[in-house]
Amino acid sequence: MRNLVVLDAPSNLGLRPPAPGTVPGCYKLAGALREQRIVQRLNALEGGVVVPPRYDRGDWQAGDGVFNATALAGYTRTLADRIERHVRAGELPVVLGGDCSIQLGASLALRRIGRYGLAAVDASHDFRHPGNSDHVGAAGGEEVALATGRGQDDLTDLEGLKPYLRDEDVRFFGIRDEFEDDRAELAALKIPTVTVGDIREWGADALARATAEAFDVPDLDGFWVHLDADVLDPSVMPAVDSPDPGGLLPDELTALLRPLVNSPHCAGFNVTIYDPDLDPDGTAGALLADIVVAAFAQS
């Protein structure tokens, strides 16, 4: 049994402002889950906080590339330092975000160590890049593309380690069934994509176990699990920036996560995007904490 270590990465650098003059509230995710006693409930060690730079897009305009890029690059390295330390120590980091751009820190950390896969549990593929879009900018919707080497070098080639992830080592789960156009490029790249409908047809537990086994190959040193709270249906998780209908229900998500995070080949886990500003009574945050705790419970 490895020790779990809870580490806060409360960065919102990768999201657009929800309204003029405001900042995305997902930087409060870690505090909200800590209020639900997630560290104690996971029986985890305390990993502290990786404090992000100030959110400031300056005079950024569409066409300038990824906003907050300099801050993101610095934060990615700093977060990678902390994650790398825990993984090398034989611990399993549980990283509380933040927006999805924190995944770059995990990807860089693991790239320093060896070759790792990614199981991304997300309503969307976060694969926007200059080759398929004319409006890159928000790294929180682009982090998998960046991690696989697509985009500007100041984010994709940190430390000369481009790409942090290989296409063939990425798996997506929970993509909405109606996003057919988004899935075409992934299919051409032979990146497996499992929709909500697929999960319900084939079974969350069976799919997750098959994926964990698929990552158990000599070429790979393990895999990371990325959870975006928007994979849940907005009927139970409305507190996200893109609450698209047709998502997973709590029991389905727990069943999907449990074989992944409990695999001996899982190197770590992060949770992102939940915004406490959109959850005034804390109901959605309590649910998210329950799901994470239940996922790590031994079956």
Side-chain angles (χ1 to χ4, degrees), residues 30-82:
L33 295 195
R34 283 177 176 273
E35 284 190 346
Q36 297 295 324
R37 301 183 69 253
I38 193 167
V39 180
Q40 296 87 341
R41 293 166 66 191
L42 288 171
N43 194 28
L45 301 176
E46 176 57 67
V49 183
V50 181
V51 179
R54 184 167 64 96
Y55 185 97
D56 182 6
R57 300 201 306 169
D59 58 359
W60 179 89
Q61 297 180 13
D64 290 346
V66 175
F67 57 74
N68 291 327
T70 300
L72 278 163
Y75 190 69
T76 295
R77 291 190 188 94
T78 303
L79 180 57
D81 290 345
R82 295 281 287 277

mmCIF file of all heavy atoms in Angstrom, residues 30-82:
data_model
loop_
_atom_site.group_PDB
_atom_site.id
_atom_site.type_symbol
_atom_site.label_atom_id
_atom_site.label_comp_id
_atom_site.label_asym_id
_atom_site.label_seq_id
_atom_site.Cartn_x
_atom_site.Cartn_y
_atom_site.Cartn_z
ATOM 1 N N ALA A 30 -9.679 23.335 -4.034
ATOM 2 C CA ALA A 30 -8.926 22.613 -3.005
ATOM 3 C C ALA A 30 -9.431 22.942 -1.606
ATOM 4 O O ALA A 30 -9.626 22.045 -0.773
ATOM 5 C CB ALA A 30 -7.435 22.949 -3.122
ATOM 6 N N GLY A 31 -9.673 24.219 -1.345
ATOM 7 C CA GLY A 31 -10.180 24.608 -0.032
ATOM 8 C C GLY A 31 -11.529 24.004 0.256
ATOM 9 O O GLY A 31 -11.807 23.572 1.387
ATOM 10 N N ALA A 32 -12.386 23.954 -0.770
ATOM 11 C CA ALA A 32 -13.722 23.397 -0.572
ATOM 12 C C ALA A 32 -13.660 21.902 -0.260
ATOM 13 O O ALA A 32 -14.401 21.408 0.607
ATOM 14 C CB ALA A 32 -14.577 23.643 -1.814
ATOM 15 N N LEU A 33 -12.794 21.162 -0.949
ATOM 16 C CA LEU A 33 -12.690 19.726 -0.663
ATOM 17 C C LEU A 33 -12.014 19.469 0.680
ATOM 18 O O LEU A 33 -12.330 18.496 1.363
ATOM 19 C CB LEU A 33 -11.942 19.015 -1.789
ATOM 20 C CG LEU A 33 -12.623 19.004 -3.169
ATOM 21 C CD1 LEU A 33 -11.966 17.971 -4.068
ATOM 22 C CD2 LEU A 33 -14.117 18.737 -3.078
ATOM 23 N N ARG A 34 -11.119 20.342 1.058
ATOM 24 C CA ARG A 34 -10.533 20.215 2.393
ATOM 25 C C ARG A 34 -11.579 20.471 3.482
ATOM 26 O O ARG A 34 -11.530 19.847 4.550
ATOM 27 C CB ARG A 34 -9.350 21.165 2.544
ATOM 28 C CG ARG A 34 -8.095 20.665 1.846
ATOM 29 C CD ARG A 34 -6.956 21.650 1.956
ATOM 30 N NE ARG A 34 -5.739 21.112 1.366
ATOM 31 C CZ ARG A 34 -4.850 20.355 1.994
ATOM 32 N NH1 ARG A 34 -5.037 20.047 3.275
ATOM 33 N NH2 ARG A 34 -3.773 19.914 1.382
ATOM 34 N N GLU A 35 -12.505 21.362 3.216
ATOM 35 C CA GLU A 35 -13.590 21.576 4.180
ATOM 36 C C GLU A 35 -14.428 20.310 4.348
ATOM 37 O O GLU A 35 -15.064 20.119 5.389
ATOM 38 C CB GLU A 35 -14.485 22.733 3.730
ATOM 39 C CG GLU A 35 -13.876 24.104 3.960
ATOM 40 C CD GLU A 35 -14.876 25.217 3.741
ATOM 41 O OE1 GLU A 35 -15.948 24.965 3.158
ATOM 42 O OE2 GLU A 35 -14.572 26.350 4.151
ATOM 43 N N GLN A 36 -14.433 19.466 3.333
ATOM 44 C CA GLN A 36 -15.121 18.178 3.411
ATOM 45 C C GLN A 36 -14.227 17.094 4.045
ATOM 46 O O GLN A 36 -14.554 15.920 3.977
ATOM 47 C CB GLN A 36 -15.566 17.731 2.014
ATOM 48 C CG GLN A 36 -16.579 18.664 1.358
ATOM 49 C CD GLN A 36 -17.885 18.690 2.099
ATOM 50 O OE1 GLN A 36 -18.328 17.673 2.628
ATOM 51 N NE2 GLN A 36 -18.530 19.858 2.143
ATOM 52 N N ARG A 37 -13.108 17.522 4.616
ATOM 53 C CA ARG A 37 -12.179 16.634 5.328
ATOM 54 C C ARG A 37 -11.623 15.531 4.426
ATOM 55 O O ARG A 37 -11.415 14.392 4.835
ATOM 56 C CB ARG A 37 -12.856 16.019 6.558
ATOM 57 C CG ARG A 37 -13.359 17.049 7.555
ATOM 58 C CD ARG A 37 -13.972 16.401 8.802
ATOM 59 N NE ARG A 37 -12.946 15.757 9.609
ATOM 60 C CZ ARG A 37 -12.790 14.440 9.690
ATOM 61 N NH1 ARG A 37 -13.588 13.619 9.000
ATOM 62 N NH2 ARG A 37 -11.840 13.909 10.453
ATOM 63 N N ILE A 38 -11.329 15.908 3.200
ATOM 64 C CA ILE A 38 -10.894 14.891 2.254
ATOM 65 C C ILE A 38 -9.545 14.290 2.642
ATOM 66 O O ILE A 38 -9.311 13.096 2.438
ATOM 67 C CB ILE A 38 -10.854 15.459 0.814
ATOM 68 C CG1 ILE A 38 -10.719 14.325 -0.195
ATOM 69 C CG2 ILE A 38 -9.762 16.514 0.644
ATOM 70 C CD1 ILE A 38 -10.974 14.731 -1.624
ATOM 71 N N VAL A 39 -8.663 15.083 3.239
ATOM 72 C CA VAL A 39 -7.357 14.547 3.637
ATOM 73 C C VAL A 39 -7.534 13.458 4.689
ATOM 74 O O VAL A 39 -6.964 12.356 4.574
ATOM 75 C CB VAL A 39 -6.441 15.667 4.167
ATOM 76 C CG1 VAL A 39 -5.087 15.093 4.589
ATOM 77 C CG2 VAL A 39 -6.258 16.764 3.122
ATOM 78 N N GLN A 40 -8.326 13.735 5.702
ATOM 79 C CA GLN A 40 -8.548 12.762 6.765
ATOM 80 C C GLN A 40 -9.301 11.540 6.250
ATOM 81 O O GLN A 40 -8.993 10.399 6.635
ATOM 82 C CB GLN A 40 -9.325 13.411 7.913
ATOM 83 C CG GLN A 40 -8.576 14.548 8.606
ATOM 84 C CD GLN A 40 -8.798 15.897 7.938
ATOM 85 O OE1 GLN A 40 -9.212 15.973 6.772
ATOM 86 N NE2 GLN A 40 -8.526 16.959 8.686
ATOM 87 N N ARG A 41 -10.295 11.761 5.414
ATOM 88 C CA ARG A 41 -11.104 10.651 4.919
ATOM 89 C C ARG A 41 -10.304 9.721 4.006
ATOM 90 O O ARG A 41 -10.595 8.512 3.910
ATOM 91 C CB ARG A 41 -12.341 11.188 4.214
ATOM 92 C CG ARG A 41 -13.303 11.896 5.173
ATOM 93 C CD ARG A 41 -14.339 12.709 4.432
ATOM 94 N NE ARG A 41 -15.255 11.878 3.658
ATOM 95 C CZ ARG A 41 -16.105 12.369 2.759
ATOM 96 N NH1 ARG A 41 -16.148 13.683 2.532
ATOM 97 N NH2 ARG A 41 -16.915 11.554 2.103
ATOM 98 N N LEU A 42 -9.321 10.269 3.320
ATOM 99 C CA LEU A 42 -8.446 9.453 2.484
ATOM 100 C C LEU A 42 -7.310 8.827 3.294
ATOM 101 O O LEU A 42 -6.537 8.034 2.756
ATOM 102 C CB LEU A 42 -7.846 10.294 1.360
ATOM 103 C CG LEU A 42 -8.775 10.707 0.227
ATOM 104 C CD1 LEU A 42 -8.078 11.711 -0.692
ATOM 105 C CD2 LEU A 42 -9.253 9.503 -0.576
ATOM 106 N N ASN A 43 -7.215 9.216 4.577
ATOM 107 C CA ASN A 43 -6.096 8.772 5.409
ATOM 108 C C ASN A 43 -4.779 9.101 4.716
ATOM 109 O O ASN A 43 -3.846 8.285 4.656
ATOM 110 C CB ASN A 43 -6.189 7.276 5.691
ATOM 111 C CG ASN A 43 -5.256 6.846 6.815
ATOM 112 O OD1 ASN A 43 -4.930 7.629 7.706
ATOM 113 N ND2 ASN A 43 -4.808 5.598 6.770
ATOM 114 N N ALA A 44 -4.714 10.332 4.196
ATOM 115 C CA ALA A 44 -3.589 10.756 3.379
ATOM 116 C C ALA A 44 -2.611 11.607 4.170
ATOM 117 O O ALA A 44 -2.952 12.194 5.205
ATOM 118 C CB ALA A 44 -4.095 11.542 2.169
ATOM 119 N N LEU A 45 -1.401 11.692 3.655
ATOM 120 C CA LEU A 45 -0.403 12.605 4.185
ATOM 121 C C LEU A 45 -0.668 14.012 3.653
ATOM 122 O O LEU A 45 -1.322 14.193 2.622
ATOM 123 C CB LEU A 45 0.998 12.152 3.776
ATOM 124 C CG LEU A 45 1.422 10.744 4.224
ATOM 125 C CD1 LEU A 45 2.790 10.401 3.668
ATOM 126 C CD2 LEU A 45 1.418 10.649 5.745
ATOM 127 N N GLU A 46 -0.140 14.992 4.335
ATOM 128 C CA GLU A 46 -0.317 16.387 3.947
ATOM 129 C C GLU A 46 0.817 16.813 3.012
ATOM 130 O O GLU A 46 1.996 16.741 3.369
ATOM 131 C CB GLU A 46 -0.325 17.287 5.187
ATOM 132 C CG GLU A 46 -0.416 18.756 4.903
ATOM 133 C CD GLU A 46 -1.641 19.110 4.078
ATOM 134 O OE1 GLU A 46 -2.768 18.969 4.599
ATOM 135 O OE2 GLU A 46 -1.465 19.487 2.900
ATOM 136 N N GLY A 47 0.436 17.243 1.802
ATOM 137 C CA GLY A 47 1.444 17.653 0.818
ATOM 138 C C GLY A 47 1.594 19.143 0.651
ATOM 139 O O GLY A 47 2.468 19.606 -0.078
ATOM 140 N N GLY A 48 0.726 19.920 1.326
ATOM 141 C CA GLY A 48 0.848 21.367 1.252
ATOM 142 C C GLY A 48 0.254 21.950 -0.031
ATOM 143 O O GLY A 48 -0.567 21.328 -0.701
ATOM 144 N N VAL A 49 0.701 23.146 -0.350
ATOM 145 C CA VAL A 49 0.142 23.919 -1.466
ATOM 146 C C VAL A 49 1.255 24.363 -2.406
ATOM 147 O O VAL A 49 2.322 24.780 -1.958
ATOM 148 C CB VAL A 49 -0.601 25.174 -0.945
ATOM 149 C CG1 VAL A 49 -1.234 25.945 -2.098
ATOM 150 C CG2 VAL A 49 -1.634 24.800 0.099
ATOM 151 N N VAL A 50 0.993 24.275 -3.704
ATOM 152 C CA VAL A 50 1.862 24.901 -4.704
ATOM 153 C C VAL A 50 1.142 26.177 -5.139
ATOM 154 O O VAL A 50 0.170 26.131 -5.882
ATOM 155 C CB VAL A 50 2.122 23.969 -5.900
ATOM 156 C CG1 VAL A 50 3.048 24.655 -6.907
ATOM 157 C CG2 VAL A 50 2.727 22.659 -5.435
ATOM 158 N N VAL A 51 1.614 27.309 -4.638
ATOM 159 C CA VAL A 51 0.910 28.577 -4.834
ATOM 160 C C VAL A 51 1.110 29.066 -6.270
ATOM 161 O O VAL A 51 2.251 29.174 -6.736
ATOM 162 C CB VAL A 51 1.419 29.639 -3.844
ATOM 163 C CG1 VAL A 51 0.708 30.964 -4.065
ATOM 164 C CG2 VAL A 51 1.207 29.157 -2.407
ATOM 165 N N PRO A 52 0.028 29.370 -6.983
ATOM 166 C CA PRO A 52 0.155 29.806 -8.370
ATOM 167 C C PRO A 52 0.439 31.303 -8.479
ATOM 168 O O PRO A 52 0.189 32.064 -7.535
ATOM 169 C CB PRO A 52 -1.227 29.495 -8.955
ATOM 170 C CG PRO A 52 -2.153 29.694 -7.794
ATOM 171 C CD PRO A 52 -1.388 29.214 -6.581
ATOM 172 N N PRO A 53 0.940 31.748 -9.618
ATOM 173 C CA PRO A 53 1.073 33.182 -9.863
ATOM 174 C C PRO A 53 -0.298 33.854 -9.952
ATOM 175 O O PRO A 53 -1.328 33.186 -10.106
ATOM 176 C CB PRO A 53 1.794 33.257 -11.215
ATOM 177 C CG PRO A 53 2.373 31.896 -11.438
ATOM 178 C CD PRO A 53 1.464 30.944 -10.735
ATOM 179 N N ARG A 54 -0.274 35.171 -9.876
ATOM 180 C CA ARG A 54 -1.516 35.934 -9.967
ATOM 181 C C ARG A 54 -2.132 35.802 -11.357
ATOM 182 O O ARG A 54 -1.428 35.795 -12.364
ATOM 183 C CB ARG A 54 -1.235 37.409 -9.660
ATOM 184 C CG ARG A 54 -2.463 38.298 -9.634
ATOM 185 C CD ARG A 54 -2.109 39.648 -9.007
ATOM 186 N NE ARG A 54 -1.134 40.376 -9.802
ATOM 187 C CZ ARG A 54 -1.459 41.303 -10.702
ATOM 188 N NH1 ARG A 54 -2.720 41.604 -10.933
ATOM 189 N NH2 ARG A 54 -0.517 41.939 -11.377
ATOM 190 N N TYR A 55 -3.445 35.692 -11.405
ATOM 191 C CA TYR A 55 -4.176 35.630 -12.670
ATOM 192 C C TYR A 55 -4.189 37.025 -13.282
ATOM 193 O O TYR A 55 -4.767 37.956 -12.719
ATOM 194 C CB TYR A 55 -5.608 35.146 -12.421
ATOM 195 C CG TYR A 55 -6.439 34.924 -13.670
ATOM 196 C CD1 TYR A 55 -6.565 33.659 -14.222
ATOM 197 C CD2 TYR A 55 -7.111 35.978 -14.295
ATOM 198 C CE1 TYR A 55 -7.332 33.438 -15.356
ATOM 199 C CE2 TYR A 55 -7.871 35.774 -15.428
ATOM 200 C CZ TYR A 55 -7.981 34.497 -15.950
ATOM 201 O OH TYR A 55 -8.742 34.289 -17.086
ATOM 202 N N ASP A 56 -3.540 37.179 -14.434
ATOM 203 C CA ASP A 56 -3.468 38.489 -15.074
ATOM 204 C C ASP A 56 -3.204 38.290 -16.558
ATOM 205 O O ASP A 56 -2.074 38.002 -16.967
ATOM 206 C CB ASP A 56 -2.367 39.338 -14.434
ATOM 207 C CG ASP A 56 -2.282 40.734 -15.035
ATOM 208 O OD1 ASP A 56 -3.141 41.095 -15.862
ATOM 209 O OD2 ASP A 56 -1.333 41.469 -14.669
ATOM 210 N N ARG A 57 -4.231 38.454 -17.363
ATOM 211 C CA ARG A 57 -4.072 38.272 -18.805
ATOM 212 C C ARG A 57 -3.454 39.499 -19.475
ATOM 213 O O ARG A 57 -3.173 39.467 -20.676
ATOM 214 C CB ARG A 57 -5.416 37.944 -19.449
ATOM 215 C CG ARG A 57 -6.051 36.667 -18.916
ATOM 216 C CD ARG A 57 -7.067 36.093 -19.865
ATOM 217 N NE ARG A 57 -8.087 37.039 -20.260
ATOM 218 C CZ ARG A 57 -8.967 36.825 -21.239
ATOM 219 N NH1 ARG A 57 -8.912 35.712 -21.928
ATOM 220 N NH2 ARG A 57 -9.888 37.717 -21.519
ATOM 221 N N GLY A 58 -3.263 40.571 -18.706
ATOM 222 C CA GLY A 58 -2.637 41.761 -19.255
ATOM 223 C C GLY A 58 -3.392 42.296 -20.455
ATOM 224 O O GLY A 58 -4.622 42.425 -20.437
ATOM 225 N N ASP A 59 -2.673 42.580 -21.525
ATOM 226 C CA ASP A 59 -3.301 43.111 -22.742
ATOM 227 C C ASP A 59 -3.480 42.021 -23.798
ATOM 228 O O ASP A 59 -3.528 42.308 -24.993
ATOM 229 C CB ASP A 59 -2.483 44.275 -23.302
ATOM 230 C CG ASP A 59 -1.035 43.884 -23.613
ATOM 231 O OD1 ASP A 59 -0.670 42.707 -23.367
ATOM 232 O OD2 ASP A 59 -0.277 44.748 -24.099
ATOM 233 N N TRP A 60 -3.594 40.778 -23.332
ATOM 234 C CA TRP A 60 -3.766 39.654 -24.270
ATOM 235 C C TRP A 60 -4.963 39.869 -25.169
ATOM 236 O O TRP A 60 -6.026 40.347 -24.738
ATOM 237 C CB TRP A 60 -3.953 38.353 -23.493
ATOM 238 C CG TRP A 60 -4.149 37.145 -24.371
ATOM 239 C CD1 TRP A 60 -3.195 36.331 -24.880
ATOM 240 C CD2 TRP A 60 -5.404 36.626 -24.862
ATOM 241 N NE1 TRP A 60 -3.754 35.338 -25.648
ATOM 242 C CE2 TRP A 60 -5.119 35.494 -25.655
ATOM 243 C CE3 TRP A 60 -6.731 37.022 -24.707
ATOM 244 C CZ2 TRP A 60 -6.102 34.735 -26.280
ATOM 245 C CZ3 TRP A 60 -7.725 36.264 -25.329
ATOM 246 C CH2 TRP A 60 -7.405 35.139 -26.107
ATOM 247 N N GLN A 61 -4.799 39.499 -26.448
ATOM 248 C CA GLN A 61 -5.883 39.547 -27.424
ATOM 249 C C GLN A 61 -5.913 38.238 -28.194
ATOM 250 O O GLN A 61 -4.890 37.538 -28.299
ATOM 251 C CB GLN A 61 -5.692 40.711 -28.402
ATOM 252 C CG GLN A 61 -5.727 42.084 -27.754
ATOM 253 C CD GLN A 61 -5.529 43.196 -28.769
ATOM 254 O OE1 GLN A 61 -5.601 42.978 -29.973
ATOM 255 N NE2 GLN A 61 -5.282 44.404 -28.278
ATOM 256 N N ALA A 62 -7.078 37.913 -28.724
ATOM 257 C CA ALA A 62 -7.210 36.707 -29.541
ATOM 258 C C ALA A 62 -6.170 36.734 -30.651
ATOM 259 O O ALA A 62 -5.983 37.753 -31.323
ATOM 260 C CB ALA A 62 -8.615 36.611 -30.113
ATOM 261 N N GLY A 63 -5.480 35.619 -30.828
ATOM 262 C CA GLY A 63 -4.412 35.541 -31.816
ATOM 263 C C GLY A 63 -3.033 35.609 -31.201
ATOM 264 O O GLY A 63 -2.028 35.371 -31.885
ATOM 265 N N ASP A 64 -2.967 35.935 -29.904
ATOM 266 C CA ASP A 64 -1.679 36.041 -29.219
ATOM 267 C C ASP A 64 -1.179 34.712 -28.669
ATOM 268 O O ASP A 64 -0.154 34.676 -27.993
ATOM 269 C CB ASP A 64 -1.784 37.035 -28.047
ATOM 270 C CG ASP A 64 -1.928 38.474 -28.503
ATOM 271 O OD1 ASP A 64 -1.682 38.749 -29.693
ATOM 272 O OD2 ASP A 64 -2.292 39.324 -27.664
ATOM 273 N N GLY A 65 -1.886 33.636 -28.933
ATOM 274 C CA GLY A 65 -1.498 32.346 -28.367
ATOM 275 C C GLY A 65 -2.168 32.110 -27.029
ATOM 276 O O GLY A 65 -3.226 32.677 -26.737
ATOM 277 N N VAL A 66 -1.564 31.291 -26.215
ATOM 278 C CA VAL A 66 -2.128 30.943 -24.912
ATOM 279 C C VAL A 66 -1.900 32.094 -23.944
ATOM 280 O O VAL A 66 -0.771 32.560 -23.774
ATOM 281 C CB VAL A 66 -1.493 29.657 -24.368
ATOM 282 C CG1 VAL A 66 -1.993 29.347 -22.962
ATOM 283 C CG2 VAL A 66 -1.782 28.475 -25.302
ATOM 284 N N PHE A 67 -2.977 32.560 -23.300
ATOM 285 C CA PHE A 67 -2.789 33.626 -22.316
ATOM 286 C C PHE A 67 -2.203 33.060 -21.021
ATOM 287 O O PHE A 67 -2.303 31.877 -20.731
ATOM 288 C CB PHE A 67 -4.075 34.411 -22.058
ATOM 289 C CG PHE A 67 -5.265 33.607 -21.608
ATOM 290 C CD1 PHE A 67 -5.360 33.104 -20.322
ATOM 291 C CD2 PHE A 67 -6.321 33.381 -22.476
ATOM 292 C CE1 PHE A 67 -6.459 32.384 -19.898
ATOM 293 C CE2 PHE A 67 -7.437 32.663 -22.068
ATOM 294 C CZ PHE A 67 -7.506 32.158 -20.775
ATOM 295 N N ASN A 68 -1.562 33.938 -20.272
ATOM 296 C CA ASN A 68 -0.860 33.552 -19.037
ATOM 297 C C ASN A 68 0.249 32.544 -19.305
ATOM 298 O O ASN A 68 0.636 31.774 -18.405
ATOM 299 C CB ASN A 68 -1.826 32.966 -17.995
ATOM 300 C CG ASN A 68 -2.774 33.989 -17.412
ATOM 301 O OD1 ASN A 68 -2.420 35.149 -17.254
ATOM 302 N ND2 ASN A 68 -3.991 33.575 -17.106
ATOM 303 N N ALA A 69 0.796 32.515 -20.532
ATOM 304 C CA ALA A 69 1.739 31.457 -20.911
ATOM 305 C C ALA A 69 2.996 31.461 -20.042
ATOM 306 O O ALA A 69 3.466 30.398 -19.610
ATOM 307 C CB ALA A 69 2.118 31.585 -22.384
ATOM 308 N N THR A 70 3.552 32.636 -19.777
ATOM 309 C CA THR A 70 4.765 32.686 -18.965
ATOM 310 C C THR A 70 4.495 32.180 -17.552
ATOM 311 O O THR A 70 5.269 31.395 -16.989
ATOM 312 C CB THR A 70 5.320 34.120 -18.922
ATOM 313 O OG1 THR A 70 5.633 34.544 -20.251
ATOM 314 C CG2 THR A 70 6.573 34.192 -18.055
ATOM 315 N N ALA A 71 3.377 32.622 -16.979
ATOM 316 C CA ALA A 71 3.003 32.162 -15.643
ATOM 317 C C ALA A 71 2.722 30.662 -15.649
ATOM 318 O O ALA A 71 3.116 29.936 -14.723
ATOM 319 C CB ALA A 71 1.786 32.936 -15.142
ATOM 320 N N LEU A 72 2.053 30.179 -16.683
ATOM 321 C CA LEU A 72 1.750 28.751 -16.784
ATOM 322 C C LEU A 72 3.020 27.919 -16.877
ATOM 323 O O LEU A 72 3.131 26.865 -16.236
ATOM 324 C CB LEU A 72 0.874 28.494 -18.014
ATOM 325 C CG LEU A 72 -0.621 28.743 -17.855
ATOM 326 C CD1 LEU A 72 -1.290 28.854 -19.220
ATOM 327 C CD2 LEU A 72 -1.257 27.616 -17.047
ATOM 328 N N ALA A 73 3.977 28.376 -17.663
ATOM 329 C CA ALA A 73 5.223 27.632 -17.813
ATOM 330 C C ALA A 73 5.952 27.533 -16.476
ATOM 331 O O ALA A 73 6.440 26.456 -16.091
ATOM 332 C CB ALA A 73 6.109 28.291 -18.865
ATOM 333 N N GLY A 74 6.024 28.641 -15.764
ATOM 334 C CA GLY A 74 6.688 28.623 -14.465
ATOM 335 C C GLY A 74 5.970 27.746 -13.466
ATOM 336 O O GLY A 74 6.595 26.975 -12.718
ATOM 337 N N TYR A 75 4.633 27.841 -13.457
ATOM 338 C CA TYR A 75 3.863 27.042 -12.508
ATOM 339 C C TYR A 75 3.948 25.557 -12.838
ATOM 340 O O TYR A 75 4.024 24.709 -11.938
ATOM 341 C CB TYR A 75 2.405 27.494 -12.497
ATOM 342 C CG TYR A 75 1.613 26.885 -11.372
ATOM 343 C CD1 TYR A 75 1.862 27.242 -10.052
ATOM 344 C CD2 TYR A 75 0.616 25.944 -11.614
ATOM 345 C CE1 TYR A 75 1.147 26.679 -9.006
ATOM 346 C CE2 TYR A 75 -0.105 25.376 -10.577
ATOM 347 C CZ TYR A 75 0.167 25.750 -9.276
ATOM 348 O OH TYR A 75 -0.545 25.183 -8.235
ATOM 349 N N THR A 76 3.963 25.233 -14.119
ATOM 350 C CA THR A 76 4.077 23.836 -14.531
ATOM 351 C C THR A 76 5.364 23.233 -14.006
ATOM 352 O O THR A 76 5.377 22.103 -13.477
ATOM 353 C CB THR A 76 4.009 23.722 -16.062
ATOM 354 O OG1 THR A 76 2.708 24.132 -16.510
ATOM 355 C CG2 THR A 76 4.273 22.298 -16.532
ATOM 356 N N ARG A 77 6.470 23.949 -14.118
ATOM 357 C CA ARG A 77 7.743 23.437 -13.599
ATOM 358 C C ARG A 77 7.699 23.257 -12.078
ATOM 359 O O ARG A 77 8.171 22.246 -11.549
ATOM 360 C CB ARG A 77 8.884 24.395 -13.963
ATOM 361 C CG ARG A 77 9.235 24.460 -15.432
ATOM 362 C CD ARG A 77 10.512 25.252 -15.620
ATOM 363 N NE ARG A 77 10.809 25.522 -17.015
ATOM 364 C CZ ARG A 77 10.448 26.629 -17.656
ATOM 365 N NH1 ARG A 77 9.770 27.576 -17.015
ATOM 366 N NH2 ARG A 77 10.759 26.799 -18.925
ATOM 367 N N THR A 78 7.150 24.260 -11.390
ATOM 368 C CA THR A 78 7.116 24.193 -9.927
ATOM 369 C C THR A 78 6.242 23.045 -9.440
ATOM 370 O O THR A 78 6.611 22.299 -8.523
ATOM 371 C CB THR A 78 6.598 25.522 -9.355
ATOM 372 O OG1 THR A 78 7.421 26.587 -9.821
ATOM 373 C CG2 THR A 78 6.616 25.513 -7.832
ATOM 374 N N LEU A 79 5.076 22.899 -10.053
ATOM 375 C CA LEU A 79 4.190 21.800 -9.686
ATOM 376 C C LEU A 79 4.831 20.457 -10.034
ATOM 377 O O LEU A 79 4.736 19.490 -9.259
ATOM 378 C CB LEU A 79 2.845 21.957 -10.396
ATOM 379 C CG LEU A 79 1.788 20.897 -10.119
ATOM 380 C CD1 LEU A 79 1.477 20.783 -8.632
ATOM 381 C CD2 LEU A 79 0.503 21.214 -10.910
ATOM 382 N N ALA A 80 5.495 20.398 -11.180
ATOM 383 C CA ALA A 80 6.170 19.162 -11.576
ATOM 384 C C ALA A 80 7.238 18.769 -10.551
ATOM 385 O O ALA A 80 7.409 17.583 -10.245
ATOM 386 C CB ALA A 80 6.798 19.319 -12.959
ATOM 387 N N ASP A 81 7.948 19.752 -10.010
ATOM 388 C CA ASP A 81 8.965 19.448 -8.997
ATOM 389 C C ASP A 81 8.348 18.727 -7.805
ATOM 390 O O ASP A 81 8.901 17.746 -7.298
ATOM 391 C CB ASP A 81 9.627 20.742 -8.510
ATOM 392 C CG ASP A 81 10.519 21.399 -9.547
ATOM 393 O OD1 ASP A 81 10.866 20.737 -10.543
ATOM 394 O OD2 ASP A 81 10.854 22.591 -9.361
ATOM 395 N N ARG A 82 7.197 19.220 -7.355
ATOM 396 C CA ARG A 82 6.550 18.626 -6.180
ATOM 397 C C ARG A 82 5.997 17.239 -6.492
ATOM 398 O O ARG A 82 6.154 16.297 -5.707
ATOM 399 C CB ARG A 82 5.448 19.564 -5.688
ATOM 400 C CG ARG A 82 5.955 20.896 -5.175
ATOM 401 C CD ARG A 82 6.521 20.774 -3.760
ATOM 402 N NE ARG A 82 5.446 20.608 -2.810
ATOM 403 C CZ ARG A 82 4.731 21.624 -2.297
ATOM 404 N NH1 ARG A 82 5.005 22.880 -2.650
ATOM 405 N NH2 ARG A 82 3.767 21.402 -1.437
#
